[in-house]
Amino acid sequence: MSARPLRVVGHPAPRVDGLEKVTGRARYVTDLVLPGMAHAKVLRSPYAHARVTRVDVARARVRPGVFTALSSADLTWCEPYFGPAFRDRPVLAIDVARHEGEPVAAVAAVDEATAAEALELIDVDYEPLPSAITLEEALGPGAPLVHTGEPLSGHFADLSTLRPQPGTNVCHRFHFERGDTVTALAGADLVVEDTYRFPPVQHVALEPHAVLAAWDETGALTLWASTQNPYSVRVELAKMFGLPLARIRVIVPHLGGGFGSKTYAKLEPLAAALARAAGRPVRLAASVPEAFQTVRRCAARVGTRVGFRRDGTLVAVECAADYDVGAYADIGPRVVQKATYTATGPYRVPHVKLDARAVYTNTTPGGAFRGFGVPQLAWALESLFDVAADRLDRDPVDLRRQNFLAHGEEFAPGDTPIDGKLEESLGRAAEAIGWTRAGAADRGRGVAAMLKASVAPSVSEAIVRLHTDGSVSVLASAVEMGQGTRTVLAQIAAEVLSVPLARVTVVQPDTAVTPYDQTTSSSRSTAMTGRAVQVAAEDVREQLVRVVAEALGVAARDLALEDGAVVAPARRLTYAEVLVLRFGMSGGELIGRGVIAPGRTAAPLGGSTPFWEMAVGAAEVSVDEETGAVRVERYVSVADVGRAINPLLLEGQDEGGVVQGLGHTLLEEMLYADGHLLNGTLLAYRVPRADDAPPALECRFVENADGSGPFGAKGAGEGSLIPVSPAVANALARLTGVRFRDLPLTPERVWRALRARGR
Amino acid sequence: MRIRLAVNGRAQDLEVASHALLLDVLRDVLDLKGAKRSCDTQVCGACTVLVDGLAVSACTYLAVEADGRSVLTVEGLADGESLDPLQRAFLDAGAVQCGFCTSGMLLTARALLRENGAPTRDDVLHYLRGSLCRCTGYRKIVDAVLTAAETAR
């Protein structure tokens, strides 16, 4: 069959779940009700670090309306620890509470009010312990140890090399080097170096974490969970309860935002334990303050040193990064090693030495958050690039262009060659922001670039079913959390099978029904799950063609799919007719299967990234010298996506990424004092509002169909966020002459720096 | 306490606790799940509904305050199968992602257009200060509101 113009892919189709969302009919976990359902509340540690010497739930348990009250002492019938990297996180605190807000006891009752009242009947004795809140406190001599024992390893092969440092708070170290940075830096004409800091920030998905758990009469467990990883949650629960995977069912309704906060098990183990003890379904819905106590982005301190030759050639990068992963590792160790692996950004660097540590502190566990550790490192490297450009008297755009990795060039031995054209993204971003035109005197412009790997190796499977009326079901476990994956998967199936988008239904993820998908994160769904759907749909297409070829006695190459029919030289058979030919009646269905499993490779992290995510950001800013308030007047993001399966949704992803990036750039920081989080509510923690977004915001795409995903697509959605901080700070430096190393660029911080400059 | 109110044009006669929140009554008693609970503090706007045409945060609004009033939720925006111009514009503009803020955004915008049928971009930005969206970056939401205003004129 010859290539033909794309009919569905590449078009800005409105999202397939849009109607249910604008009419209020879309169902999220907390919209679901089961008969007899109980409501849970969690008693949390008020201390950053404390020995828990007594938990007495007896009075709560006998309160009318209470079905169960649990402390860790009650969890003798299950494995009480979980965690994807280390199984270091107790379902309920065991002997020690390691961060403020750690669950210590929990209640399930007839309603939330009764459950909340019952919490007040639980007696807990704490003996406060010295705590380590900051990286400095956790790494200093004689630092209080967050964990004193050796944790059990989690369930990921790529993390089998985790290296905790006994007797310290370092739970993982990552080291990578090639060449000889010492000699290279000694011989460099210019070395720029500095230490940059990135604050702890929270995802603030508008829907906080929620789970509804129910055990059935056969002893099987079903959860409706706001998770980005139903299959990882299933593994955790199977281990916890000693159940076969097949007896655990994780169903994922719509998510009210994810951004990484809903990767890996969070509240699911506790909800499942409560439901088992209560003997009835239990809903556990976190509040916004509880979400702040559940997961956050890993804060970081990044020391980077970059060497250049006089002609601008980058010769060496050294980077030493400490990431604060909080009280439990969650997926922090992978965040640290995967991000640090690409600490050199999208540049050709012959001599590299990278060291990173994942450091426990007595704060909310740090985990995945859009960008997965890369924003912290790009903040340092891309700022230093502009420092170097200044010192070399070079244009920052030219200096980047000179050092970009080329299309097809090796990033590291054994890993995927560079699959995009960075110079094209940079050129378009520079042009759109008017880089070479004179700007207004009160505006500054800055650029920044990024490169990020996707998780590897990983597995996605999909099933496509063609029904007797010619409609199509897509079974895949990529989670719809707003990014539009249901629409994109439907478009891919519709394209391959030549049916209108409206004829395709994407089934909600359900581990009992939809096949394995490793995770909805790492910008991987379009490329990996999408490719699995494409292969599954092609499997159905081949079956259609085979049936008709055999029935009509024509060659398969003379058949084509067109508008829901198989077209032969002299005949046209609708899919309904083809299925009658196949089954001898109007019944049965064609089932196609797609498996994408690239497996392990010789790449440094054990798997080759399925694509490189690459993007460039360009900012134009102004600053109010009286107040220090920075305003991003214009912002341009250009991402190299291979092909935009749905340009409308993709644009929405990247616009959202830019504004989320402006959050940690200008506004957001979780502030701790004496071990207590001061601003863990939306009253005190300011995320961007509509009037904080840049008045002019353009998100554009480079499309050369050079990705490994369906129709040449690559992953997208994280790339636009990552350059925001350095692009804004570079613009601010060019405007004011002041270089910032700490985020966020709050008015106070900027005002003080401008005063110190002496203006 | 006994309250009588109209919800989406339908008369309701309800027995509610004096401390019951409008959000809980809508979601749990009337099974109208479109309004969402998020911040509980009148900051995020996910629970926004209209009471006598004015936008209120149902998470902190007592149900008894709605006695004798008319409440509009997202479920009452469309006229049968015919979508409100705001719903249509949100769909077409790509102003919906996860959807958790969408109900509140739509109703806030509806209140704005009731007050001001020809808002400027700044009017919309100002009005949406009480409605957070973490997905879209807002541009498409603002565009959708302006488009809907034009359509309705």
Side-chain angles (χ1 to χ4, degrees):
Chain A
M1 274 170 288
S2 58
R4 50 165 199 224
L6 299 172
R7 299 168 307 106
V8 189
V9 160
H11 294 267
R15 52 188 311 134
V16 296
D17 54 3
L19 187 61
E20 68 208 74
K21 285 177 173 173
V22 297
T23 52
R25 293 199 294 259
R27 286 292 171 260
Y28 303 78
V29 171
T30 52
D31 298 331
L32 306 177
V33 175
L34 288 178
M37 179 176 85
H39 298 261
K41 287 283 184 191
V42 181
L43 186 69
R44 293 169 178 275
S45 169
Y47 297 102
H49 197 192
R51 193 165 298 290
V52 182
T53 54
R54 186 177 72 105
V55 185
D56 184 350
V57 298
R59 288 196 300 144
R61 198 171 277 160
V62 298
R63 190 188 189 290
V66 171
F67 300 115
T68 190
L70 299 179
S71 73
S72 65
D74 300 302
L75 301 180
T76 51
W77 40 275
C78 64
E79 164 61 42
Y81 289 97
F82 69 103
F86 296 120
R87 289 164 71 202
D88 59 355
R89 194 165 184 172
V91 176
L92 292 168
I94 298 174
D95 301 329
V96 179
R98 298 184 174 84
H99 68 96
E100 184 189 31
E102 177 165 356
V104 173
V107 167
V110 286
D111 53 35
E112 288 202 1
T114 306
E117 286 160 22
L119 290 187
E120 295 178 17
L121 302 176
I122 298 175
D123 297 312
V124 186
D125 291 341
Y126 295 96
E127 283 174 11
L129 295 167
S131 60
I133 302 301
T134 62
L135 283 168
E136 285 74 12
E137 287 168 6
L139 291 170
L145 291 183
V146 180
H147 292 264
T148 48
E150 283 271 319
L152 303 162
S153 62
H155 62 263
F156 282 110
D158 73 313
L159 296 176
S160 58
T161 54
L162 287 186
R163 286 183 290 172
Q165 309 279 294
T168 74
N169 284 314
V170 177
C171 74
H172 182 47
R173 292 187 81 113
F174 175 74
H175 175 79
F176 180 83
E177 76 176 84
R178 71 166 171 264
D180 173 2
T181 54
V182 175
T183 307
L185 288 170
D189 296 314
L190 172 70
V191 176
V192 291
E193 64 178 298
D194 221 319
T195 298
Y196 288 78
R197 287 169 179 279
F198 200 101
V201 292
Q202 221 275 335
H203 312 67
V204 192
L206 276 196
E207 175 205 38
H209 305 82
V211 194
L212 171 56
W215 295 79
D216 70 16
E217 60 284 0
T218 70
L221 171 63
T222 300
L223 286 98
W224 290 260
S226 66
T227 180
Q228 298 174 229
N229 307 55
Y231 277 92
S232 279
V233 168
R234 191 179 67 152
V235 168
E236 294 277 18
L237 295 168
K239 271 192 183 147
M240 183 176 167
F241 297 110
L243 285 174
L245 293 173
R247 292 181 64 72
I248 298 171
R249 183 173 181 186
V250 182
I251 301 170
V252 188
H254 283 295
L255 257 62
F259 317 116
S261 67
K262 294 166 181 169
T263 49
Y264 308 102
K266 295 288 189 285
L267 301 180
E268 293 86 353
L270 180 54
L274 284 165
R276 173 83 159 253
R280 57 177 61 230
V282 169
R283 175 200 290 170
L284 174 51
S287 64
V288 167
E290 287 179 307
F292 273 94
Q293 297 171 330
T294 300
V295 65
R296 61 170 170 82
R297 193 192 287 279
C298 300
R301 178 179 71 185
V302 182
T304 300
R305 176 189 272 186
V306 190
F308 290 88
R309 284 210 294 266
R310 192 164 292 110
D311 69 358
T313 307
L314 221 175
V315 293
V317 170
E318 286 183 352
C319 175
D322 290 322
Y323 285 82
D324 166 6
V325 301
Y328 296 105
D330 196 279
I331 200 64
R334 187 193 272 164
V335 171
V336 169
Q337 80 176 28
K338 214 174 128 280
T340 305
Y341 171 58
T342 59
T344 48
Y347 304 106
R348 184 181 304 115
V349 190
H351 303 279
V352 179
K353 184 165 169 289
L354 311 172
D355 285 286
R357 295 185 289 188
V359 183
Y360 282 133
T361 61
N362 292 113
T363 62
T364 296
F369 189 165
R370 199 178 203 166
F372 210 68
V374 178
Q376 294 90 318
L377 302 178
W379 166 233
L381 181 70
E382 290 296 314
S383 294
L384 284 172
F385 235 91
D386 266 39
V387 173
D390 205 31
R391 299 269 298 276
L392 292 166
D393 199 20
R394 288 286 304 275
D395 179 285
V397 167
D398 285 342
L399 189 65
R400 285 179 172 79
R401 189 182 285 127
Q402 178 182 348
N403 288 288
F404 273 152
L405 287 158
H407 195 281
E409 191 169 348
E410 181 178 81
F411 175 81
D415 211 334
T416 307
I418 295 300
D419 56 356
K421 294 181 176 167
L422 289 149
E423 66 282 6
E424 194 174 333
S425 295
L426 181 65
R428 287 182 55 185
E431 188 187 340
I433 205 77
W435 186 258
T436 55
R437 290 197 304 272
D442 59 350
R443 302 274 182 101
R445 294 182 191 139
V447 297
M450 64 71 67
L451 171 135
K452 179 183 177 293
S454 186
V455 62
S458 74
V459 176
S460 286
E461 304 196 38
I463 293 168
V464 169
R465 300 164 60 191
L466 177 67
H467 306 288
T468 51
D469 63 351
S471 66
V472 175
S473 298
V474 172
L475 279 63
S477 297
V479 169
E480 178 57 67
M481 49 192 180
Q483 84 280 40
T485 197
R486 282 193 200 174
T487 306
V488 163
L489 298 183
Q491 284 181 274
I492 291 165
E495 185 68 52
V496 173
L497 290 171
S498 291
V499 296
L501 190 56
R503 299 290 281 168
V504 181
T505 296
V506 180
V507 176
Q508 78 176 351
D510 177 343
T511 58
V513 177
T514 58
Y516 184 87
D517 198 33
Q518 187 158 319
T519 169
T520 304
S521 62
S522 212
S523 300
R524 67 183 289 285
S525 299
T526 296
M528 296 294 286
T529 320
R531 184 87 184 91
V533 168
Q534 184 184 28
V535 170
E538 286 168 351
D539 183 354
V540 171
R541 183 175 70 189
E542 281 159 27
Q543 294 178 49
L544 283 165
V545 166
R546 198 160 56 233
V547 169
V548 175
E550 284 171 14
L552 301 185
V554 299
R557 66 174 178 277
D558 293 330
L559 300 173
L561 267 52
E562 207 176 82
D563 294 338
V566 180
V567 180
R571 278 194 70 182
R572 176 190 176 87
L573 290 161
T574 65
Y575 294 164
E577 291 166 331
V578 178
L579 264 67
V580 170
L581 276 182
R582 166 67 182 81
F583 296 106
M585 57 175 277
S586 182
E589 62 185 38
L590 298 184
I591 301 177
R593 180 161 177 247
V595 180
I596 302 300
R600 293 182 72 80
T601 70
L605 295 187
S608 300
T609 184
F611 56 87
W612 292 102
E613 194 165 352
M614 283 172 273
V616 172
E620 183 171 290
V621 309
S622 64
V623 63
D624 182 335
E625 299 256 350
E626 299 294 314
T627 65
V630 175
R631 184 155 176 81
V632 179
E633 305 284 355
R634 297 171 62 211
Y635 195 93
V636 177
S637 167
V638 182
D640 191 326
V641 302
R643 182 187 298 280
I645 303 285
N646 186 319
L648 179 68
L649 300 191
L650 187 54
E651 199 179 70
Q653 275 292 290
D654 273 6
E655 290 179 6
V658 169
V659 174
Q660 201 162 46
L662 283 176
H664 64 237
T665 301
L666 299 178
L667 302 167
E668 296 177 39
E669 176 174 18
M670 290 166 68
L671 296 165
Y672 284 88
D674 302 325
H676 299 293
L677 177 61
L678 299 178
N679 58 344
T681 71
L682 284 186
L683 284 167
Y685 184 91
R686 255 281 264 127
V687 298
R689 296 185 306 233
D691 54 347
D692 293 312
L697 172 56
E698 279 180 54
C699 291
R700 299 288 173 258
F701 306 101
V702 170
E703 296 184 73
N704 293 315
D706 47 8
S708 64
F711 307 97
K714 290 174 263 190
E718 295 178 276
S720 71
L721 172 141
I722 293 166
V724 173
S725 304
V728 168
N730 288 340
L732 195 55
R734 283 161 62 89
L735 177 64
T736 65
V738 177
R739 172 61 54 187
F740 290 87
R741 294 165 194 83
D742 296 348
L743 293 174
L745 305 174
T746 57
E748 180 181 342
R749 178 169 279 150
V750 172
W751 180 82
R752 287 186 189 283
L754 294 179
R755 291 229 328 167
R757 179 198 54 183
R759 212 187 251 178
Chain B
M1 294 173 73
R2 190 78 174 271
I3 58 171
R4 292 186 183 81
L5 69 167
V7 179
N8 299 332
R10 179 177 296 201
Q12 299 286 352
D13 190 336
L14 303 171
E15 187 65 34
V16 301
S18 56
H19 61 271
L21 299 169
L22 180 59
L23 182 62
D24 293 324
V25 170
L26 291 173
R27 287 178 56 85
D28 299 339
V29 179
L30 299 177
D31 200 31
L32 296 168
K33 307 284 195 192
K36 300 301 181 201
R37 161 161 277 130
S38 183
C39 76
D40 291 312
T41 50
Q42 297 182 0
V43 176
C44 76
C47 66
T48 302
V49 298
L50 303 190
V51 177
D52 286 347
L54 297 178
V56 305
S57 296
C59 72
T60 43
Y61 189 95
L62 293 173
V64 293
E65 291 180 80
D67 185 28
R69 299 178 189 272
S70 170
V71 175
L72 181 71
T73 74
V74 69
E75 289 89 348
L77 262 185
D79 182 6
E81 290 301 300
S82 163
L83 293 179
D84 183 274
L86 278 163
Q87 291 171 307
R88 185 79 258 157
F90 269 57
L91 277 181
D92 293 344
V96 177
Q97 287 192 28
C98 85
F100 213 75
C101 77
T102 303
S103 310
M105 286 284 178
L106 286 166
L107 289 159
T108 304
R110 173 77 165 245
L112 163 65
L113 298 188
R114 180 174 171 268
E115 261 178 41
N116 176 0
T120 63
R121 181 164 279 269
D122 279 346
D123 294 336
V124 178
L125 291 176
H126 181 77
Y127 220 88
L128 292 183
R129 284 169 59 109
S131 299
L132 298 180
C133 169
R134 196 61 159 166
C135 295
T136 64
Y138 298 103
R139 192 180 75 86
K140 293 181 188 307
I141 292 176
V142 176
D143 286 351
V145 175
L146 291 169
T147 301
E150 247 170 62
T151 309
R153 278 204 293 278

